Amino acid sequence: MNATGALPTPKEPERETWQLLMQLGLDLRTRRKSSIISAECGIDDAYDFQDLLGKGGFGKVFQAVSKKDGQPCAIKCVDMKNTDPEVFQRELEQARKLQNPHLVRLIAAYQDERTFFLVMELYQGGDLLTEVTQHGLRREGSGLAVGIPEQCLVEYAWQMFSAVAYLHYHFIAHRDIKCENFMKASLAANAPLKLIDLGVSACFKGGLTEVVGTITTIAPEVFSRRYNEQCDLWSVGVTLFMCAVCMEPWVTDGGVRYMNESEIKRCLVDPGFQIPYDRRRWDLRSTEIRTLVRSLLVRDPQKRPRAQEVLSQNRWVKGCRKPRCCRWF
C-alpha cells in the first residue's frame, strides 16, 4: 500500500493475475513490518503463559493471555537447538507480511538466549482433521452419507484456494498443506478456516529443491527436487479427498489397511501409480467434488489447475464466491 492508502500498481506480467484475484474479491495487500512487535526479550512481561496446546520437534505451543488487554493468543516456542535460525527467520519474515482472512496472523515476535517466540492469533475451533473424523460413513435418513456435508465443504474449498492463491501471488509456496494445518477460527459451526504453520514455506522464484512436507500430502514431484508452487495444489487435493470421504487415499489390501510411510513414498515416485478411489464412498459424493479432486491429484503439476483458476473457473467453487464464513471480514 502506498502513502495514499491505495494498492500499488502491479508490474507486468503480474497484472493479469492481480486483476483476476481482485475481481474475485481477494485482498492482495501485505502488512508493513512496523505492524509487528519484535523484541529481543520481555515476553514474560507482555504475556501470561497458560495451557500447553501441543508440542513437536520444533518445540511447544502454549495458550497465553496478553497482560495489556487480556486477549488470548497462541505462542509458538522454538528451541534454538532444534531449529536452523535461518528457517525460523524465514517463517518470521513470511508471517510478517501476510494479511489474509484465511491465513494465520502473527501478532509479535520475541527471542531470548535459547528460544524464539512467535505470538499468533488463537484459533479455538480445533483443526480440520478433528472435524473430518466426525463425519465418517454413516446413515442419514434412508441412505448413507460420508464426509463433511456439501455446503460446508464447498465453503472450506473456497477458503483453502483463497489462502493458497494469496500465497502464490506473493511467490510463497506453503509446502505443508494438510488437514492438521487448517484451524477453525472458533467453535461456531460456520467458523472460517485459517491456514497455519509457515515453517517450511519458501519463495518459489527460480524453483524449489528441498524435500519437505508431510508424506501423506506431499506432491510426487517434490521427490525429484525440481518443483514449483503447484505442489500445494496436490496437497489441497489430498486434503479435500479426506474431507469428502473421511479416509486417506493411501490404502492397500483391498482398502482395509493404510500404507506406511515407505509404501506411500514408493507410490509417489512410481510414475505408473494411480490414486485409488473407494467407489462405495465416492459414489456418495457429488460429481463436482469428485471432478475437482481428480483434477488436483494428477502427477503432472502442469496439468493441475492453479489456485486462482479454481476460484475463477470451477463452477462448484465459483458458486461460493461469498461464502457465509467469509462475510465476517
Side-chain angles (χ1 to χ4, degrees):
M1 185 183 295
N2 59 30
T4 66
L7 283 171
T9 302
K11 298 179 180 179
E12 298 292 357
E14 299 173 22
R15 183 181 299 276
E16 184 176 346
T17 299
W18 177 81
Q19 290 175 336
L20 173 61
L21 295 177
M22 291 294 289
Q23 289 170 1
L24 292 170
L26 302 187
D27 188 341
L28 300 175
R29 291 171 294 183
T30 58
R31 294 188 296 176
R32 295 176 177 175
K33 290 186 178 182
S34 59
S35 65
I36 303 297
I37 299 171
S38 185
E40 291 295 321
C41 58
I43 191 166
D44 290 323
D45 297 326
Y47 296 93
D48 277 324
F49 283 72
Q50 297 182 331
D51 298 334
L52 176 67
L53 298 177
K55 60 182 178 180
F58 61 85
K60 299 177 180 179
V61 178
F62 290 90
Q63 183 170 336
V65 174
S66 168
K67 293 182 177 180
K68 180 179 180 180
D69 56 18
Q71 288 295 312
C73 61
I75 300 181
K76 183 176 183 179
C77 307
V78 182
D79 192 325
M80 291 184 184
K81 295 185 296 184
N82 297 333
T83 190
D84 183 338
E86 292 185 6
V87 173
F88 172 81
Q89 289 299 328
R90 179 171 62 193
E91 179 175 7
L92 176 60
E93 289 305 308
Q94 303 285 25
R96 278 183 185 278
K97 299 188 297 182
L98 306 177
Q99 61 164 21
N100 181 281
H102 302 298
L103 286 170
V104 62
R105 187 172 76 88
L106 179 69
I107 299 171
Y110 296 80
Q111 72 177 80
D112 60 21
E113 298 84 359
R114 297 176 297 176
T115 309
F116 297 115
F117 303 95
L118 293 177
V119 183
M120 299 170 288
E121 282 185 322
L122 177 66
Y123 306 127
Q124 297 179 306
D127 64 34
L128 185 56
L129 182 61
T130 300
E131 182 167 355
V132 168
T133 59
Q134 296 170 353
H135 292 88
L137 192 63
R138 60 195 182 275
R139 185 164 295 280
E140 285 189 358
S142 60
L144 294 175
V146 69
I148 294 175
E150 193 86 358
Q151 182 56 39
C152 184
L153 184 53
V154 70
E155 292 177 356
Y156 285 171
W158 195 97
Q159 294 169 38
M160 291 178 192
F161 288 111
S162 171
V164 173
Y166 178 90
L167 286 175
H168 290 182
Y169 176 78
H170 292 292
F171 300 102
I172 299 170
H174 186 281
R175 303 200 295 180
D176 197 20
I177 292 175
K178 55 186 176 181
C179 287
E180 298 94 317
N181 279 341
F182 282 106
M183 300 292 295
K184 295 194 67 175
S186 72
L187 293 171
N190 63 344
L193 294 181
K194 305 278 188 172
L195 179 58
I196 65 168
D197 199 348
L198 293 159
V200 295
S201 64
C203 176
F204 57 79
K205 286 184 176 179
L208 298 165
T209 59
E210 299 171 291
V211 179
V212 296
T214 300
I215 190 65
T216 52
T217 56
I218 197 170
E221 66 270 18
V222 172
F223 292 103
S224 73
R225 295 182 179 271
R226 294 180 61 187
Y227 62 100
N228 60 19
E229 76 279 11
Q230 285 298 93
C231 65
D232 286 343
L233 276 300
W234 173 280
S235 300
V236 172
V238 177
T239 302
L240 288 174
F241 186 112
M242 295 175 64
C243 290
V245 294
C246 195
M247 67 181 297
E248 295 178 1
W250 310 111
V251 293
T252 187
D253 297 339
V256 299
R257 180 177 70 84
Y258 280 119
M259 299 179 190
N260 59 38
E261 290 192 6
S262 60
E263 290 173 318
I264 295 173
K265 182 177 179 180
R266 283 199 296 271
C267 291
L268 288 168
V269 300
D270 177 3
F273 176 77
Q274 298 293 322
I275 293 289
Y277 291 83
D278 184 285
R279 183 171 180 178
R280 184 176 69 142
R281 292 176 180 243
W282 278 101
D283 280 353
L284 300 174
R285 301 307 316 218
S286 69
T287 300
E288 289 81 7
I289 181 60
R290 284 182 286 170
T291 301
L292 175 58
V293 169
R294 286 183 182 273
S295 73
L296 297 168
L297 296 182
V298 295
R299 300 190 67 87
D300 185 349
Q302 294 184 355
K303 294 182 179 180
R304 293 175 209 145
R306 297 184 180 277
Q308 64 265 29
E309 292 172 348
V310 176
L311 290 169
S312 63
Q313 300 174 20
N314 183 276
R315 295 180 65 181
W316 185 65
V317 176
K318 188 178 178 180
C320 193
R321 286 181 61 178
K322 293 183 180 180
R324 54 190 169 87
C325 298
C326 300
R327 292 175 189 162
W328 292 12
F329 303 98

